[in-house]
mmCIF file of all heavy atoms in Angstrom:
data_model
loop_
_atom_site.group_PDB
_atom_site.id
_atom_site.type_symbol
_atom_site.label_atom_id
_atom_site.label_comp_id
_atom_site.label_asym_id
_atom_site.label_seq_id
_atom_site.Cartn_x
_atom_site.Cartn_y
_atom_site.Cartn_z
ATOM 1 N N THR T 51 -30.268 -58.871 -24.255
ATOM 2 C CA THR T 51 -30.901 -58.695 -25.570
ATOM 3 C C THR T 51 -30.260 -57.538 -26.301
ATOM 4 O O THR T 51 -29.917 -57.540 -27.541
ATOM 5 C CB THR T 51 -32.339 -58.394 -25.415
ATOM 6 O OG1 THR T 51 -33.006 -59.525 -24.809
ATOM 7 C CG2 THR T 51 -33.106 -58.184 -26.740
ATOM 8 N N LYS T 52 -29.976 -56.432 -25.570
ATOM 9 C CA LYS T 52 -29.310 -55.293 -26.194
ATOM 10 C C LYS T 52 -27.934 -55.639 -26.629
ATOM 11 O O LYS T 52 -27.554 -55.257 -27.705
ATOM 12 C CB LYS T 52 -29.218 -54.059 -25.177
ATOM 13 C CG LYS T 52 -30.582 -53.399 -24.918
ATOM 14 C CD LYS T 52 -30.393 -52.192 -23.970
ATOM 15 C CE LYS T 52 -31.589 -51.285 -23.979
ATOM 16 N NZ LYS T 52 -32.815 -51.852 -23.584
ATOM 17 N N ARG T 53 -27.229 -56.451 -25.873
ATOM 18 C CA ARG T 53 -25.892 -56.874 -26.297
ATOM 19 C C ARG T 53 -25.957 -57.851 -27.596
ATOM 20 O O ARG T 53 -25.132 -57.670 -28.397
ATOM 21 C CB ARG T 53 -25.187 -57.656 -25.169
ATOM 22 C CG ARG T 53 -23.734 -57.927 -25.346
ATOM 23 C CD ARG T 53 -22.990 -58.359 -24.086
ATOM 24 N NE ARG T 53 -23.082 -57.213 -23.186
ATOM 25 C CZ ARG T 53 -22.724 -57.226 -21.834
ATOM 26 N NH1 ARG T 53 -22.506 -58.435 -21.355
ATOM 27 N NH2 ARG T 53 -22.848 -56.225 -21.129
ATOM 28 N N ILE T 54 -26.937 -58.655 -27.629
ATOM 29 C CA ILE T 54 -27.074 -59.550 -28.802
ATOM 30 C C ILE T 54 -27.462 -58.661 -30.028
ATOM 31 O O ILE T 54 -26.841 -58.859 -31.060
ATOM 32 C CB ILE T 54 -28.328 -60.465 -28.527
ATOM 33 C CG1 ILE T 54 -27.858 -61.604 -27.641
ATOM 34 C CG2 ILE T 54 -28.759 -61.106 -29.917
ATOM 35 C CD1 ILE T 54 -29.056 -62.479 -27.192
ATOM 36 N N ASN T 55 -28.276 -57.613 -29.877
ATOM 37 C CA ASN T 55 -28.586 -56.764 -31.023
ATOM 38 C C ASN T 55 -27.331 -56.041 -31.577
ATOM 39 O O ASN T 55 -27.078 -55.839 -32.720
ATOM 40 C CB ASN T 55 -29.627 -55.682 -30.611
ATOM 41 C CG ASN T 55 -30.945 -56.346 -30.296
ATOM 42 O OD1 ASN T 55 -31.209 -57.389 -30.794
ATOM 43 N ND2 ASN T 55 -31.762 -55.659 -29.481
ATOM 44 N N LYS T 56 -26.409 -55.567 -30.582
ATOM 45 C CA LYS T 56 -25.211 -54.895 -30.963
ATOM 46 C C LYS T 56 -24.302 -55.808 -31.730
ATOM 47 O O LYS T 56 -23.651 -55.405 -32.828
ATOM 48 C CB LYS T 56 -24.552 -54.288 -29.801
ATOM 49 C CG LYS T 56 -25.318 -53.056 -29.183
ATOM 50 C CD LYS T 56 -24.453 -52.510 -27.991
ATOM 51 C CE LYS T 56 -25.206 -51.337 -27.441
ATOM 52 N NZ LYS T 56 -24.504 -50.712 -26.209
ATOM 53 N N ILE T 57 -24.108 -57.054 -31.227
ATOM 54 C CA ILE T 57 -23.206 -57.959 -31.860
ATOM 55 C C ILE T 57 -23.767 -58.379 -33.273
ATOM 56 O O ILE T 57 -22.983 -58.540 -34.208
ATOM 57 C CB ILE T 57 -23.002 -59.221 -30.992
ATOM 58 C CG1 ILE T 57 -22.261 -58.736 -29.663
ATOM 59 C CG2 ILE T 57 -22.177 -60.251 -31.644
ATOM 60 C CD1 ILE T 57 -22.043 -59.843 -28.732
ATOM 61 N N VAL T 58 -25.046 -58.702 -33.283
ATOM 62 C CA VAL T 58 -25.643 -59.016 -34.621
ATOM 63 C C VAL T 58 -25.452 -57.890 -35.615
ATOM 64 O O VAL T 58 -25.214 -58.202 -36.820
ATOM 65 C CB VAL T 58 -27.178 -59.356 -34.365
ATOM 66 C CG1 VAL T 58 -27.824 -59.496 -35.745
ATOM 67 C CG2 VAL T 58 -27.316 -60.653 -33.580
ATOM 68 N N SER T 59 -25.637 -56.675 -35.225
ATOM 69 C CA SER T 59 -25.413 -55.639 -36.164
ATOM 70 C C SER T 59 -23.985 -55.573 -36.653
ATOM 71 O O SER T 59 -23.792 -54.938 -37.756
ATOM 72 C CB SER T 59 -25.839 -54.247 -35.511
ATOM 73 O OG SER T 59 -24.976 -53.934 -34.465
ATOM 74 N N GLY T 60 -23.058 -56.089 -35.886
ATOM 75 C CA GLY T 60 -21.695 -56.017 -36.333
ATOM 76 C C GLY T 60 -21.218 -57.289 -37.082
ATOM 77 O O GLY T 60 -20.132 -57.274 -37.682
ATOM 78 N N VAL T 61 -22.066 -58.342 -37.041
ATOM 79 C CA VAL T 61 -21.699 -59.623 -37.766
ATOM 80 C C VAL T 61 -22.025 -59.403 -39.296
ATOM 81 O O VAL T 61 -23.243 -59.635 -39.616
ATOM 82 C CB VAL T 61 -22.345 -60.748 -37.129
ATOM 83 C CG1 VAL T 61 -22.049 -62.024 -37.945
ATOM 84 C CG2 VAL T 61 -21.962 -60.916 -35.724
ATOM 85 N N LYS T 62 -21.036 -59.078 -40.057
ATOM 86 C CA LYS T 62 -21.330 -58.880 -41.493
ATOM 87 C C LYS T 62 -20.252 -59.610 -42.275
ATOM 88 O O LYS T 62 -19.112 -59.654 -41.785
ATOM 89 C CB LYS T 62 -21.289 -57.412 -41.887
ATOM 90 C CG LYS T 62 -22.370 -56.540 -41.200
ATOM 91 C CD LYS T 62 -22.247 -55.071 -41.539
ATOM 92 C CE LYS T 62 -23.266 -54.185 -40.883
ATOM 93 N NZ LYS T 62 -23.120 -52.780 -41.176
ATOM 94 N N VAL T 63 -20.581 -60.063 -43.470
ATOM 95 C CA VAL T 63 -19.618 -60.775 -44.266
ATOM 96 C C VAL T 63 -18.821 -59.645 -44.999
ATOM 97 O O VAL T 63 -19.344 -59.009 -45.953
ATOM 98 C CB VAL T 63 -20.269 -61.746 -45.225
ATOM 99 C CG1 VAL T 63 -19.201 -62.328 -46.142
ATOM 100 C CG2 VAL T 63 -21.047 -62.774 -44.499
ATOM 101 N N ARG T 64 -17.582 -59.413 -44.567
ATOM 102 C CA ARG T 64 -16.710 -58.379 -45.234
ATOM 103 C C ARG T 64 -15.409 -59.021 -45.448
ATOM 104 O O ARG T 64 -14.937 -59.894 -44.853
ATOM 105 C CB ARG T 64 -16.611 -57.228 -44.252
ATOM 106 C CG ARG T 64 -17.879 -56.442 -44.005
ATOM 107 C CD ARG T 64 -17.759 -55.501 -42.874
ATOM 108 N NE ARG T 64 -17.663 -56.189 -41.546
ATOM 109 C CZ ARG T 64 -17.671 -55.522 -40.399
ATOM 110 N NH1 ARG T 64 -17.714 -54.190 -40.400
ATOM 111 N NH2 ARG T 64 -17.552 -56.235 -39.291
ATOM 112 N N GLY T 65 -14.726 -58.460 -46.599
ATOM 113 C CA GLY T 65 -13.448 -59.018 -46.992
ATOM 114 C C GLY T 65 -12.555 -57.864 -47.669
ATOM 115 O O GLY T 65 -12.979 -56.815 -47.947
ATOM 116 N N LEU T 66 -11.201 -58.196 -47.743
ATOM 117 C CA LEU T 66 -10.248 -57.378 -48.388
ATOM 118 C C LEU T 66 -9.798 -58.018 -49.645
ATOM 119 O O LEU T 66 -9.575 -59.208 -49.712
ATOM 120 C CB LEU T 66 -9.113 -57.145 -47.371
ATOM 121 C CG LEU T 66 -9.443 -56.603 -45.973
ATOM 122 C CD1 LEU T 66 -8.235 -56.554 -45.145
ATOM 123 C CD2 LEU T 66 -10.088 -55.191 -46.140
ATOM 124 N N VAL T 67 -9.641 -57.114 -50.723
ATOM 125 C CA VAL T 67 -9.119 -57.563 -52.006
ATOM 126 C C VAL T 67 -8.173 -56.551 -52.459
ATOM 127 O O VAL T 67 -8.088 -55.424 -51.929
ATOM 128 C CB VAL T 67 -10.252 -57.764 -53.044
ATOM 129 C CG1 VAL T 67 -11.184 -58.797 -52.660
ATOM 130 C CG2 VAL T 67 -11.053 -56.401 -53.299
ATOM 131 N N ALA T 68 -7.333 -56.938 -53.427
ATOM 132 C CA ALA T 68 -6.394 -55.959 -53.977
ATOM 133 C C ALA T 68 -7.109 -54.808 -54.654
ATOM 134 O O ALA T 68 -8.163 -54.980 -55.202
ATOM 135 C CB ALA T 68 -5.424 -56.620 -55.065
ATOM 136 N N GLY T 69 -6.502 -53.710 -54.589
ATOM 137 C CA GLY T 69 -7.251 -52.422 -55.075
ATOM 138 C C GLY T 69 -7.594 -52.501 -56.509
ATOM 139 O O GLY T 69 -8.467 -51.830 -56.996
ATOM 140 N N ASP T 70 -6.792 -53.252 -57.357
ATOM 141 C CA ASP T 70 -7.043 -53.256 -58.738
ATOM 142 C C ASP T 70 -7.835 -54.506 -59.264
ATOM 143 O O ASP T 70 -7.902 -54.654 -60.423
ATOM 144 C CB ASP T 70 -5.652 -53.267 -59.517
ATOM 145 C CG ASP T 70 -4.816 -54.467 -59.089
ATOM 146 O OD1 ASP T 70 -5.235 -55.141 -58.082
ATOM 147 O OD2 ASP T 70 -3.752 -54.709 -59.750
ATOM 148 N N VAL T 71 -8.376 -55.254 -58.361
ATOM 149 C CA VAL T 71 -9.193 -56.393 -58.775
ATOM 150 C C VAL T 71 -10.656 -55.999 -58.775
ATOM 151 O O VAL T 71 -11.415 -56.269 -57.859
ATOM 152 C CB VAL T 71 -8.993 -57.596 -57.822
ATOM 153 C CG1 VAL T 71 -9.643 -58.879 -58.366
ATOM 154 C CG2 VAL T 71 -7.439 -57.808 -57.624
ATOM 155 N N ALA T 72 -11.076 -55.278 -59.795
ATOM 156 C CA ALA T 72 -12.464 -54.802 -59.872
ATOM 157 C C ALA T 72 -13.389 -55.914 -60.314
ATOM 158 O O ALA T 72 -14.562 -55.913 -59.973
ATOM 159 C CB ALA T 72 -12.537 -53.719 -60.984
ATOM 160 N N ASP T 73 -12.915 -57.059 -61.010
ATOM 161 C CA ASP T 73 -13.724 -58.110 -61.371
ATOM 162 C C ASP T 73 -14.267 -58.848 -60.234
ATOM 163 O O ASP T 73 -15.467 -59.382 -60.236
ATOM 164 C CB ASP T 73 -12.915 -59.095 -62.302
ATOM 165 C CG ASP T 73 -12.518 -58.457 -63.569
ATOM 166 O OD1 ASP T 73 -13.285 -57.484 -63.979
ATOM 167 O OD2 ASP T 73 -11.543 -58.888 -64.170
ATOM 168 N N LEU T 74 -13.592 -58.862 -59.043
ATOM 169 C CA LEU T 74 -14.096 -59.552 -57.841
ATOM 170 C C LEU T 74 -15.315 -58.866 -57.213
ATOM 171 O O LEU T 74 -16.180 -59.544 -56.686
ATOM 172 C CB LEU T 74 -12.979 -59.756 -56.792
ATOM 173 C CG LEU T 74 -11.733 -60.573 -57.256
ATOM 174 C CD1 LEU T 74 -10.783 -60.679 -56.070
ATOM 175 C CD2 LEU T 74 -12.273 -62.019 -57.580
ATOM 176 N N ASP T 75 -15.395 -57.560 -57.382
ATOM 177 C CA ASP T 75 -16.480 -56.855 -56.791
ATOM 178 C C ASP T 75 -17.742 -57.151 -57.699
ATOM 179 O O ASP T 75 -18.825 -57.281 -57.154
ATOM 180 C CB ASP T 75 -16.287 -55.354 -56.921
ATOM 181 C CG ASP T 75 -17.380 -54.513 -56.348
ATOM 182 O OD1 ASP T 75 -17.724 -54.715 -55.188
ATOM 183 O OD2 ASP T 75 -17.991 -53.711 -57.074
ATOM 184 N N ARG T 76 -17.592 -57.350 -59.049
ATOM 185 C CA ARG T 76 -18.643 -57.621 -59.843
ATOM 186 C C ARG T 76 -19.139 -59.122 -59.579
ATOM 187 O O ARG T 76 -20.292 -59.469 -59.521
ATOM 188 C CB ARG T 76 -18.411 -57.491 -61.324
ATOM 189 C CG ARG T 76 -18.109 -56.016 -61.708
ATOM 190 C CD ARG T 76 -18.021 -55.887 -63.232
ATOM 191 N NE ARG T 76 -16.847 -56.468 -63.743
ATOM 192 C CZ ARG T 76 -16.807 -57.553 -64.496
ATOM 193 N NH1 ARG T 76 -17.845 -58.118 -64.982
ATOM 194 N NH2 ARG T 76 -15.695 -57.928 -65.030
ATOM 195 N N LEU T 77 -18.180 -59.907 -59.226
ATOM 196 C CA LEU T 77 -18.522 -61.278 -58.960
ATOM 197 C C LEU T 77 -19.259 -61.394 -57.551
ATOM 198 O O LEU T 77 -20.249 -62.227 -57.435
ATOM 199 C CB LEU T 77 -17.167 -62.176 -58.756
ATOM 200 C CG LEU T 77 -17.374 -63.607 -58.338
ATOM 201 C CD1 LEU T 77 -18.186 -64.330 -59.338
ATOM 202 C CD2 LEU T 77 -16.035 -64.268 -58.071
ATOM 203 N N ALA T 78 -19.003 -60.515 -56.555
ATOM 204 C CA ALA T 78 -19.718 -60.568 -55.348
ATOM 205 C C ALA T 78 -21.158 -60.082 -55.443
ATOM 206 O O ALA T 78 -21.984 -60.534 -54.672
ATOM 207 C CB ALA T 78 -18.956 -59.705 -54.307
ATOM 208 N N GLN T 79 -21.468 -59.270 -56.489
ATOM 209 C CA GLN T 79 -22.765 -58.736 -56.644
ATOM 210 C C GLN T 79 -23.574 -59.434 -57.725
ATOM 211 O O GLN T 79 -24.681 -59.133 -58.107
ATOM 212 C CB GLN T 79 -22.665 -57.259 -57.100
ATOM 213 C CG GLN T 79 -22.054 -56.387 -56.016
ATOM 214 C CD GLN T 79 -21.971 -54.933 -56.447
ATOM 215 O OE1 GLN T 79 -22.878 -54.500 -57.230
ATOM 216 N NE2 GLN T 79 -21.142 -54.188 -55.907
ATOM 217 N N ALA T 80 -22.992 -60.559 -58.275
ATOM 218 C CA ALA T 80 -23.650 -61.412 -59.294
ATOM 219 C C ALA T 80 -24.898 -62.113 -58.679
ATOM 220 O O ALA T 80 -24.896 -62.469 -57.525
ATOM 221 C CB ALA T 80 -22.736 -62.346 -59.948
ATOM 222 N N GLY T 81 -25.873 -62.312 -59.517
ATOM 223 C CA GLY T 81 -27.089 -62.988 -59.118
ATOM 224 C C GLY T 81 -27.011 -64.478 -59.394
ATOM 225 O O GLY T 81 -25.872 -65.026 -59.802
ATOM 226 N N ASP T 82 -28.080 -65.168 -59.191
ATOM 227 C CA ASP T 82 -28.143 -66.637 -59.414
ATOM 228 C C ASP T 82 -27.894 -66.958 -60.937
ATOM 229 O O ASP T 82 -28.450 -66.303 -61.801
ATOM 230 C CB ASP T 82 -29.468 -67.248 -59.005
ATOM 231 C CG ASP T 82 -29.621 -67.140 -57.472
ATOM 232 O OD1 ASP T 82 -28.629 -67.021 -56.734
ATOM 233 O OD2 ASP T 82 -30.893 -67.122 -56.990
ATOM 234 N N ASN T 83 -27.027 -67.960 -61.159
ATOM 235 C CA ASN T 83 -26.750 -68.458 -62.556
ATOM 236 C C ASN T 83 -26.067 -67.260 -63.399
ATOM 237 O O ASN T 83 -26.125 -67.499 -64.648
ATOM 238 C CB ASN T 83 -28.018 -68.950 -63.208
ATOM 239 C CG ASN T 83 -28.631 -70.150 -62.437
ATOM 240 O OD1 ASN T 83 -27.942 -70.969 -61.886
ATOM 241 N ND2 ASN T 83 -29.940 -70.214 -62.406
ATOM 242 N N ASP T 84 -25.518 -66.328 -62.853
ATOM 243 C CA ASP T 84 -24.867 -65.299 -63.549
ATOM 244 C C ASP T 84 -23.382 -65.730 -63.785
ATOM 245 O O ASP T 84 -22.743 -66.250 -62.914
ATOM 246 C CB ASP T 84 -24.879 -63.962 -62.924
ATOM 247 C CG ASP T 84 -26.205 -63.344 -63.016
ATOM 248 O OD1 ASP T 84 -26.969 -63.766 -63.712
ATOM 249 O OD2 ASP T 84 -26.477 -62.280 -62.263
ATOM 250 N N LEU T 85 -22.904 -65.552 -64.982
ATOM 251 C CA LEU T 85 -21.535 -65.818 -65.284
ATOM 252 C C LEU T 85 -20.685 -64.604 -65.502
ATOM 253 O O LEU T 85 -21.077 -63.661 -66.248
ATOM 254 C CB LEU T 85 -21.289 -66.677 -66.603
ATOM 255 C CG LEU T 85 -21.976 -68.062 -66.579
ATOM 256 C CD1 LEU T 85 -21.852 -68.709 -67.953
ATOM 257 C CD2 LEU T 85 -21.307 -68.827 -65.580
ATOM 258 N N VAL T 86 -19.609 -64.415 -64.726
ATOM 259 C CA VAL T 86 -18.925 -63.080 -64.676
ATOM 260 C C VAL T 86 -17.641 -63.294 -65.302
ATOM 261 O O VAL T 86 -16.776 -64.115 -64.735
ATOM 262 C CB VAL T 86 -18.779 -62.569 -63.262
ATOM 263 C CG1 VAL T 86 -17.981 -61.197 -63.246
ATOM 264 C CG2 VAL T 86 -20.026 -62.317 -62.575
ATOM 265 N N PRO T 87 -17.302 -62.660 -66.413
ATOM 266 C CA PRO T 87 -15.928 -62.763 -66.933
ATOM 267 C C PRO T 87 -14.885 -62.039 -66.169
ATOM 268 O O PRO T 87 -15.037 -61.040 -65.666
ATOM 269 C CB PRO T 87 -16.070 -62.082 -68.331
ATOM 270 C CG PRO T 87 -17.231 -61.123 -68.157
ATOM 271 C CD PRO T 87 -18.150 -61.775 -67.112
ATOM 272 N N ILE T 88 -13.811 -62.803 -65.973
ATOM 273 C CA ILE T 88 -12.637 -62.301 -65.126
ATOM 274 C C ILE T 88 -11.348 -62.365 -65.953
ATOM 275 O O ILE T 88 -11.007 -63.371 -66.511
ATOM 276 C CB ILE T 88 -12.510 -63.103 -63.768
ATOM 277 C CG1 ILE T 88 -13.753 -63.026 -62.985
ATOM 278 C CG2 ILE T 88 -11.340 -62.676 -63.073
ATOM 279 C CD1 ILE T 88 -13.637 -63.887 -61.669
ATOM 280 N N ALA T 89 -10.713 -61.226 -66.059
ATOM 281 C CA ALA T 89 -9.498 -61.109 -66.730
ATOM 282 C C ALA T 89 -8.270 -61.770 -65.896
ATOM 283 O O ALA T 89 -8.404 -61.753 -64.586
ATOM 284 C CB ALA T 89 -9.110 -59.730 -66.953
ATOM 285 N N ASN T 90 -7.291 -62.307 -66.548
ATOM 286 C CA ASN T 90 -6.143 -62.876 -65.932
ATOM 287 C C ASN T 90 -6.623 -63.992 -64.947
ATOM 288 O O ASN T 90 -6.175 -64.028 -63.768
ATOM 289 C CB ASN T 90 -5.360 -61.809 -65.067
ATOM 290 C CG ASN T 90 -4.901 -60.719 -66.011
ATOM 291 O OD1 ASN T 90 -4.456 -60.964 -67.204
ATOM 292 N ND2 ASN T 90 -4.919 -59.459 -65.570
#
C-alpha cells in the first residue's frame, strides 16, 4: 500500500514544450467550451 501511494503521487500528466510557446500553456488551462486563440 505504501508503494502504491508513492507511485500514485508520482503519476502526473506532465509535458515539455518550446520555451516561447506561451499559447500552449493557456490552452492547457482552458475550461470546457473555451476557445483559445493561438498565433502561428
Side-chain angles (χ1 to χ4, degrees):
T51 300
K52 284 182 167 61
R53 189 163 297 168
I54 289 175
N55 293 338
K56 290 181 179 179
I57 295 176
V58 169
S59 64
V61 177
K62 300 177 182 178
V63 179
R64 294 169 288 186
L66 303 174
V67 296
D70 57 349
V71 187
D73 294 335
L74 293 182
D75 182 59
R76 292 191 292 114
L77 178 62
Q79 300 183 22
D82 295 337
N83 299 323
D84 288 347
L85 297 176
V86 179
I88 299 178
N90 300 322

